[in-house]
Structure formats: C-alpha cells, structure tokens
Amino acid sequence: YKTFAELRIARFDTAKVTGLELSPPKAERLVFTKKEDPKDKKALWTYAADGQETELDAVQVNELLSGISNLYGKDSVDPAASSYGIDEKTPWVVLRFKPEEKPEPLTFYLGSHADDKKSYFIKAMPDAIIYEVADSAVEPLLKKNKESFLKTSK
C-alpha cells in the first residue's frame, strides 16, 4: 500500500500574519509589522529602522508570504543523518500571528545547497521537519532585500 507524505512546508493563512522577519543570506535582517490604517482600516506593512518607520508595498510583502506558504519539499530528510548546514541561531524567516490564531511563530531555517539535487534544505519549526526544496522555489525568495519591499513612487 502507499502512504502519503504532506510535503507542504507550512500551512497558514497569509492574511493572518501580523509580523515577518526575513534574514536573507549576506544581507540585513528585515523586520516587518502589519498594522491597520486608521483611515480606511486596510492592512499596512511597515519596516522600522534607525527610529524611523517606513510604509512598505503591501503587494510585495503579500507576494513573499504567498511564496513561503506555497513552498513544497521534494522530499523530507532524516534529521539525525546530518545537520544539512542548518544554523539554528539565525532563522531565515519568522512569521508571527495574533496569539489567538497560532500562539507559536512559524520559523524556517535555511540550510545548505545540494548542488547535485538542485535544492536547499529548510527546517520548519515548530514541527522540526527538514525538507529538501527545489532551487526554483527558494532562489526568488533569497533575492529579496529591503529595496524589494519599498513603495515605488509612480
């Protein structure tokens, strides 16, 4: 008989994310917070640095969240077999939710790249499952930096 393994890294409603931390490799850590616009009650994403808060392009932030929510592993791997280059001191992505939605944040650690398999290893917490995820799914997310999310004036 066959068994089915769920290889979607994380199930979450992107609209319920209230905070996002992104630590791209070799780039500054970004911390975004979702707030409600007092005028029209729409969701606003902001980035704070050096005591200043900058409003972000919500479309770009939502695209990133969708990209993360749609990450599927090609396979899951035995966590006891190797560390897979995963450094648990530096999360790649942390998603925060309202306490009543999901009390624990979802945290993803980026491991090493397997050239032969054209994939990255990603550890998803709190489940502690390590997935092998295709380059084509991960690399567009790795290219994101602060400028990716700034509003462009039209």
Side-chain angles (χ1 to χ4, degrees):
Y1 74 101
K2 291 184 178 186
T3 58
F4 174 74
E6 171 64 87
L7 293 175
R8 187 172 187 180
I9 290 185
R11 284 193 180 282
F12 63 92
D13 181 345
T14 58
K16 294 188 175 172
V17 176
T18 59
L20 164 67
E21 293 174 34
L22 179 67
S23 299
K26 301 179 188 76
E28 71 178 298
R29 180 172 166 260
L30 306 172
V31 179
F32 302 159
T33 306
K34 184 161 72 173
K35 298 178 175 174
E36 195 176 83
D37 187 326
K39 292 189 292 285
D40 58 13
K41 303 288 185 213
K42 280 188 178 170
L44 283 180
W45 281 98
T46 59
Y47 165 74
D50 306 321
Q52 283 198 297
E53 204 170 72
T54 306
E55 188 179 330
L56 301 172
D57 184 336
V59 171
Q60 293 299 320
V61 177
N62 290 329
E63 276 181 17
L64 174 68
L65 291 171
S66 289
I68 295 166
S69 76
N70 289 311
L71 280 178
Y72 282 85
K74 297 196 287 189
D75 204 354
S76 59
V77 295
D78 178 2
S82 163
S83 72
Y84 301 100
I86 292 167
D87 171 10
E88 292 200 23
K89 291 190 281 306
T90 311
W92 170 44
V93 176
V94 178
L95 302 176
R96 301 196 185 284
F97 301 86
K98 289 180 184 168
E100 64 273 13
E101 297 292 340
K102 203 176 224 126
E104 294 181 77
L106 291 176
T107 306
F108 306 95
Y109 297 94
L110 184 65
S112 55
H113 182 260
D115 293 331
D116 58 329
K117 296 181 176 188
K118 292 186 170 51
S119 57
Y120 287 88
F121 294 103
I122 296 177
K123 183 173 188 176
M125 297 299 283
D127 299 334
I129 297 171
I130 299 175
Y131 296 92
E132 183 186 319
V133 183
D135 287 2
S136 58
V138 178
E139 286 176 350
L141 302 176
L142 294 179
K143 291 182 175 131
K144 301 283 186 187
N145 60 24
K146 185 171 74 180
E147 285 68 37
S148 309
F149 302 102
L150 296 176
K151 282 189 157 189
T152 52
S153 46
K154 294 180 174 55

